[in-house]
Amino acid sequence: MRNSGTGPGPITPDGSPVDFYSALRPYGEPAIVAQVTPPGGTVLELGAGVGRVTHPLVEQGFEVVAVDESAEMLARVRGARTVLGQVQDLCLDRRFDTVMLASQMVNTVDDALRRGFLATCARHVKPGGAVLLQWMPAEAHDRWHVGQGRQDGDVTITLTAVEEVSPGIFHATMSYTYGGDKVWSSRSRPGASPTRSCRLSWPPRAWRSTVS
């Protein structure tokens, strides 16, 4: 089963509405990257999307390589080198001060894919560098309920359906509204997409850092 999405503008294969993600702001990720990356250092952003985090990193003087499987997403990235491809297959001939892996690990249940994601991180981080992984405690799922969401400026994000399909594995449908008139929906089926699985922009993200 594949993830799916509906709404105005382009929708990526994993169900992500490109116009909606272009309206989102960073949630503190650039500051976290800056804590573990030397000034002017190099950052490999895996699953960069439209550049929501890429752009503030570039503005802070970091050299960023943005990787994504969606050409529509990468077309909106500015100021960084872009690479179109799947994370688990990536093999660049260089290493980075920091490698950033966002929703892939959280939203992918296939162990082989998860190992592939981590292998990509290991191939590309410098000795002594940092790998940033998005993380969510298992008990966070216990607080999920239909109607839950948040407001971020002109953006409203609402959980409209959630189903535990096996212990600890959830299918979820999100509704995204921007400016009161543009509405998108995105249904995630963890493990369905080989690169991002889904880009559920809720709940707020937590990160863990490992040093090579």
Side-chain angles (χ1 to χ4, degrees):
M1 299 176 70
R2 295 283 295 177
N3 295 338
S4 59
T6 62
I11 305 291
T12 67
D14 71 350
S16 300
V18 177
D19 289 350
F20 168 74
Y21 280 94
S22 297
L24 291 178
R25 301 175 296 180
Y27 301 128
E29 298 95 335
I32 296 172
V33 174
Q35 290 174 7
V36 298
T37 310
T42 55
V43 178
L44 177 63
E45 188 182 0
L46 302 173
V50 297
R52 181 182 63 85
V53 178
T54 313
H55 297 146
L57 290 176
V58 170
E59 291 170 1
Q60 293 179 37
F62 296 110
E63 178 191 348
V64 183
V65 174
V67 179
D68 205 278
E69 69 172 357
S70 167
E72 293 93 342
M73 290 279 191
L74 287 179
R76 305 198 181 192
V77 173
R78 299 290 181 267
R81 177 191 170 191
T82 59
V83 177
L84 179 66
Q86 296 183 334
V87 169
Q88 70 273 19
D89 297 329
L90 188 69
C91 192
L92 304 177
D93 189 23
R94 62 177 297 191
R95 290 179 177 264
F96 297 79
D97 295 307
T98 299
V99 177
M100 182 179 178
L101 182 73
S103 60
Q104 292 92 335
M105 293 297 290
V106 173
N107 293 311
T108 299
V109 298
D110 185 289
D111 285 340
L113 279 176
R114 291 165 67 89
R115 287 193 294 269
F117 296 155
L118 294 176
T120 293
C121 294
R123 282 195 300 272
H124 292 91
V125 67
K126 291 181 179 179
V131 175
L132 291 173
L133 304 175
Q134 186 184 349
W135 170 76
M136 183 186 300
E139 59 270 19
H141 298 108
D142 298 334
R143 299 190 294 269
W144 287 13
H145 60 83
V146 172
Q148 186 173 1
R150 64 182 174 85
Q151 185 84 27
D152 183 8
D154 291 333
V155 172
T156 301
I157 302 170
T158 307
L159 179 65
T160 57
V162 62
E163 175 189 6
E164 187 171 12
V165 295
S166 62
I169 306 299
F170 293 81
H171 289 179
T173 301
M174 309 298 294
S175 174
Y176 309 129
T177 303
Y178 177 66
D181 58 349
K182 295 183 179 179
V183 180
W184 297 267
S185 68
S186 179
R187 177 166 174 77
S188 70
R189 300 174 175 88
S193 172
T195 300
R196 287 189 300 267
S197 179
C198 65
R199 298 177 183 268
L200 294 187
S201 296
W202 172 91
R205 299 179 174 187
W207 295 85
R208 282 186 171 177
S209 174
T210 61
V211 179
S212 66

